[in-house]
Amino acid sequence: MPLSVAVYAFDGITMFHLSVPQLVFDEVTRLGLDDWTTVLFADRAGTVRTAEGYPIGEIRGPAVADSADIVVVPSWFEDGRVTGPALRQTLTRAHDRGATVAGLCLGAVAVADTGLLSRRTAATHWQAVGMLAARHPDVEVDPSVLYIDHGDVLTSAGTASAIDACLHLVRRRLGAAAANRVARSLVVAPHREGGQAQYIERPLPQHSTGDPIAATIEWALRHLAGDLSVDRLADVAHLSRRTFIRTFQASTGETPAAWVKRRRLDEARRLLESTDLLIDQVAVACGFGSAVTLRQNFAAAFDTSPSEYRRRFDARAATGS
């Protein structure tokens, strides 16, 4: 029997998020791997307007999801509004009859509102982790992983992670060879594990002029290879150790040690992406001292090795330099 996928559309959705499940799942049919069809549906049949301003017509009503094998919420409203009763009922009905329900990126918020993730783990875009966790304390939100599949319900992190999640569904239903063919055709990585970390850029907090913590942060970023112990940073800030720790944590939301490790890992990623330094040299340049220490910290933070990260994200390879 042909496999059917129903993708939820709404006013304000970005074209990228709406296109991802169609791109991946329709490629299955285009390559002759199986007979998969995707349809767009909304709370009522008609037209939706994307965030880019394009109208998309002939959107089906929610009844089309009642016969779909996979029902996808590919994103959600940026204001995080509570899911309306029509979509909640649609997703619950689909789940109850055995369909797979997928919430991609912010779509995990809509799925969580149905209760289908109660007492389960979920993934979503890292910027929405706090909001989702606060709204649904019975859901364990993992801020780092690419996607989490419970078999009946799947959630994924932001943007490109939705491609990984959709490829995972292809792999689950048709096998690794089929998923690899789809990935090669789309020119994307064939298999990124759900547990691989989101690569998150966390901007530094804004500080007012004359703030000793801001000055210390600027100094530390220029001296990542050197001594960045709490005592040394407190000396730079001209504060006692206790006062420095308390003030730093209030200003940045994390301890000095955690902040230093994160910044050193950021620098390691930058060097891996943009230079041909050996792993030992990267370790020294960003303050880890040895390749062993760098590998241990890198794997703990990103679930991958420095060498594998460089292979995937080498910016020089992308530009041909």
Side-chain angles (χ1 to χ4, degrees), residues 6 8 10 71-76 87 91 101-108 110-111:
Y8 183 71
F10 56 88
V71 180
V72 182
V73 184
S75 186
W76 194 239
L87 180 58
L91 296 178
V101 175
L104 308 179
C105 193
L106 296 182
V111 174

Side-chain angles (χ1 to χ4, degrees), residues 233-256:
L233 294 174
D235 287 342
V236 172
H238 304 293
L239 296 171
S240 70
R241 176 187 174 93
R242 178 178 297 180
T243 300
F244 173 75
I245 293 173
R246 183 179 67 250
T247 307
F248 189 96
Q249 191 156 0
S251 179
T252 66
E254 55 190 338
T255 66

Side-chain angles (χ1 to χ4, degrees), residues 18-175:
L18 191 59
S19 69
V20 163
Q22 297 175 86
L23 180 70
V24 174
F25 299 141
D26 286 353
E27 195 70 11
V28 170
T29 300
R30 285 190 288 267
L31 293 175
L33 299 171
D34 204 352
D35 187 8
W36 289 27
T37 60
T38 59
V39 295
L40 300 180
F41 77 96
D43 292 337
R44 57 182 61 85
T47 300
V48 300
R49 184 172 292 275
T50 69
E52 296 80 6
Y54 299 110
I56 299 179
E58 299 185 14
I59 303 294
R60 307 283 291 277
V64 73
D66 289 340
S67 59
D69 300 288
I70 301 173
V71 180
V72 182
V73 184
S75 186
W76 194 239
F77 298 92
E78 290 188 3
D79 61 10
R81 68 189 63 176
V82 175
T83 308
L87 180 58
R88 289 202 308 271
Q89 292 166 12
T90 297
L91 296 178
T92 301
R93 284 198 309 269
H95 177 267
D96 289 348
R97 63 175 173 76
T100 297
V101 175
L104 308 179
C105 193
L106 296 182
V109 175
V111 174
D113 284 348
T114 66
L116 295 177
L117 291 169
S118 180
R119 296 183 295 280
R120 288 175 153 185
T121 53
T124 189
H125 193 289
W126 64 271
Q127 290 178 316
V129 165
M131 180 268 290
L132 179 54
R135 188 146 107 199
H136 295 286
D138 59 335
V139 177
E140 181 182 346
V141 188
D142 191 327
S144 61
V145 299
L146 297 181
Y147 55 86
I148 296 174
D149 183 11
H150 293 287
D152 56 333
V153 181
L154 178 145
T155 54
S156 83
T159 52
S161 300
I163 298 176
D164 298 301
C166 289
L167 283 171
H168 167 77
L169 288 175
V170 174
R171 186 179 306 107
R172 196 179 82 184
R173 295 210 173 227
L174 300 179

Side-chain angles (χ1 to χ4, degrees), residues 160-219:
S161 300
I163 298 176
D164 298 301
C166 289
L167 283 171
H168 167 77
L169 288 175
V170 174
R171 186 179 306 107
R172 196 179 82 184
R173 295 210 173 227
L174 300 179
N180 288 346
R181 283 196 61 190
V182 172
R184 282 197 300 271
S185 181
L186 299 179
V187 197
V188 297
H191 189 189
R192 292 206 294 169
E193 293 285 355
Q196 185 172 332
Q198 295 184 48
Y199 293 96
I200 302 169
E201 293 292 345
R202 291 182 174 85
L204 295 175
Q206 298 296 313
H207 299 278
S208 60
T209 303
D211 183 348
I213 300 301
T216 303
I217 284 174
E218 292 175 4
W219 179 90

